[in-house]
């Protein structure tokens, strides 16, 4: 038979999870069956943004975003919608224009202001004396600094 590759949708269908987490080392394919080429292998406990879904003969496949330019398909049996207890974020995405600061309070000077939607590399987190959680990040320009958690989303 012919294999029909479903179109990539920008808004996942209702009921499709926004984020999934790999339960094991999982392969991302160029299409929605295991016969497609493997384009990436994702380590266990990694969060992935879901941009679409396809119900195939073998079950549900999620269209996921590996990076800003790379998208692929991962089998639902290799992932969970529950964030694992040992989840370690790998990236921090800004929800608005955000200052990357020298330290973990707003008293520190800004090293760089990054635009909304910027993808920063997650290095660690810290809860300051005010009870605020700050993420230690590296910007695309290579600056290492701190961003307030409420202005961002971890993946």
């Amino acid at each position: 038979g012919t294999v029909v590759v479903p179109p990539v949708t920008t808004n996942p269908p209702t009921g499709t999870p926004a984020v999934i987490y790999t339960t094991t080392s999982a392969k991302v394919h160029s299409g929605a069956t295991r016969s497609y080429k493997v384009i990436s292998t994702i380590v266990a406990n990694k969060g992935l943004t879901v941009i679409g879904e396809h119900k195939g003969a073998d079950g549900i496949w999620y269209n996921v975003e590996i990076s800003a330019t790379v998208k692929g398909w991962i089998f639902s049996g290799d992932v969970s919608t529950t964030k694992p207890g040992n989840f370690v974020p790998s990236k921090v995405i800004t929800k608005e224009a955000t200052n990357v600061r020298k330290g973990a309070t707003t008293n520190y000077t800004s090293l760089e202001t990054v635009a909304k939607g910027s993808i920063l590399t997650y290095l660690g987190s810290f809860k300051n004396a005010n009870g605020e959680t700050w993420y230690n990040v590296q910007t695309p320009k290579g600056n290492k600094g701190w961003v307030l958690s409420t202005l961002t989303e971890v993946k």
Side-chain angles (χ1 to χ4, degrees):
T2 15
V3 176
V4 176
V5 179
V8 175
T9 57
T10 49
N11 293 321
T14 305
T16 300
V19 178
I20 54 173
Y21 303 91
T22 51
T23 52
T24 60
S25 181
K27 294 183 175 10
V28 177
H29 299 264
S30 60
T33 70
R34 294 200 193 272
S35 59
Y36 281 93
K37 185 177 91 175
V38 173
I39 56 172
S40 184
T41 301
I42 308 295
V43 297
N45 302 321
K46 176 109 167 53
L48 295 167
T49 301
V50 177
I51 54 175
E53 174 181 308
H54 173 69
K55 289 180 174 65
D58 56 349
I60 296 172
W61 285 79
Y62 294 119
N63 191 204
V64 294
E65 200 170 82
I66 306 302
S67 72
T69 55
V70 180
K71 322 269 187 280
W73 294 88
I74 194 165
F75 185 61
S76 60
D78 296 334
V79 298
S80 168
T81 55
T82 307
K83 184 185 283 194
N86 54 349
F87 172 69
V88 178
S90 62
K91 61 184 177 178
V92 176
I93 301 162
T94 56
K95 293 193 277 193
E96 57 190 73
T98 303
N99 285 314
V100 178
R101 298 186 178 274
K102 281 188 176 181
T105 73
T106 54
N107 298 337
Y108 285 93
T109 57
S110 175
L111 297 167
E112 179 182 338
T113 301
V114 293
K116 175 183 178 175
S118 294
I119 298 173
L120 312 173
T121 303
Y122 175 90
L123 304 173
S125 68
F126 175 75
K127 188 169 278 203
N128 70 16
N130 302 331
E132 299 167 328
T133 299
W134 287 72
Y135 298 128
N136 188 206
V137 297
Q138 183 167 353
T139 70
K141 288 183 183 173
N143 287 324
K144 288 182 182 174
W146 297 87
V147 292
L148 185 59
S149 65
T150 56
L151 305 177
T152 65
E153 183 180 357
V154 292
K155 296 276 186 178

